[in-house]
Amino acid sequence: EAVISSEAEANLASQANEMDVDPKSLAGGNRQIRAEQETAGQETEAETEGMETEKVSSGQVNAVVSPTVSFASTQELQWPVAGKVLMDYSMDSTVYFATLDQYKYNPALIIAGAVNDRVVSASDGQVIGVDTTAETGQTVTIGLGDSYQAIYGQLKELEVSAGDYVSQGDTIGYLAEPTKYYSVEGANLYFAMTKEGKPVNPMDYIR
């Protein structure tokens, strides 16, 4: 049984006189209230610990779920920009490059456009590279999944960064002035695809 100090006894006696009750019964009631409060506090702490344990065991604490990207050979690509194809993909025979005044293989579609035309992602994917080259200027590479990649060149004012996930139709950037390799052809989108690092014809996937 808890020991009550002299000061506490005096306070209880004063309260008992005012309430016209036995001081012992008042002291017992206070002890019971304190015991109930302590029990309730312990139960609350136990419930909180239980909730935290449940969150940890279910992987809900700071869980970050990354989208999964995949690409099938039967999947359809969206046109990344509206325009006429100036130069077709050609890795079996050489094609004429007017600016360079020479014939060579072409691993991409060269699609005509106007400076500031919006360029969109042809498929869902993750941006795995943002580079600048002399031939294609600002260039964005997007991993489509299953060893496929899409490459977009001749861009400016990019709206994506490496690591970003994009959905089909999302804006990647805008057409820039052509590089010196395409000055005669004019503003265009350099659009290429690879599978396992080797060029494939984008027209096989654009429907």
Side-chain angles (χ1 to χ4, degrees), residues 26-161:
L26 187 60
N30 287 342
R31 283 197 297 271
Q32 182 177 356
I33 291 171
R34 284 197 298 271
E36 290 175 353
Q37 289 175 339
E38 290 175 359
T39 301
Q42 292 171 357
E43 289 177 352
T44 301
E45 290 178 2
E47 289 174 0
T48 302
E49 291 175 358
M51 291 172 64
E52 292 175 351
T53 302
E54 184 178 350
K55 285 183 180 179
V56 172
S57 63
S58 62
Q60 294 178 1
V61 177
N62 297 327
V64 178
V65 179
S66 299
T68 300
V69 294
S70 61
F71 188 84
S73 59
T74 56
Q75 199 161 327
E76 295 184 2
L77 295 181
Q78 175 179 338
W79 281 97
V81 69
K84 178 183 177 182
V85 176
L86 297 175
M87 299 174 65
D88 289 315
Y89 169 94
S90 182
M91 293 300 289
D92 295 327
S93 59
T94 58
V95 295
Y96 183 66
F97 283 72
T99 301
L100 302 177
D101 191 23
Q102 63 178 271
Y103 286 86
K104 66 175 191 172
Y105 295 107
N106 183 29
L109 292 179
I110 308 302
I111 307 172
V115 174
N116 296 322
D117 277 357
R118 187 168 71 101
V119 178
V120 302
S121 180
S123 179
D124 298 347
Q126 183 182 21
V127 179
I128 58 176
V130 176
D131 307 287
T132 300
T133 71
E135 182 178 357
T136 60
Q138 279 195 305
T139 303
V140 173
T141 301
I142 296 180
L144 309 182
D146 302 297
S147 302
Y148 285 90
Q149 294 181 358
I151 302 162
Y152 307 76
Q154 306 274 15
L155 303 177
K156 68 173 184 175
E157 298 174 13
L158 302 182
E159 294 194 3
V160 296
S161 302

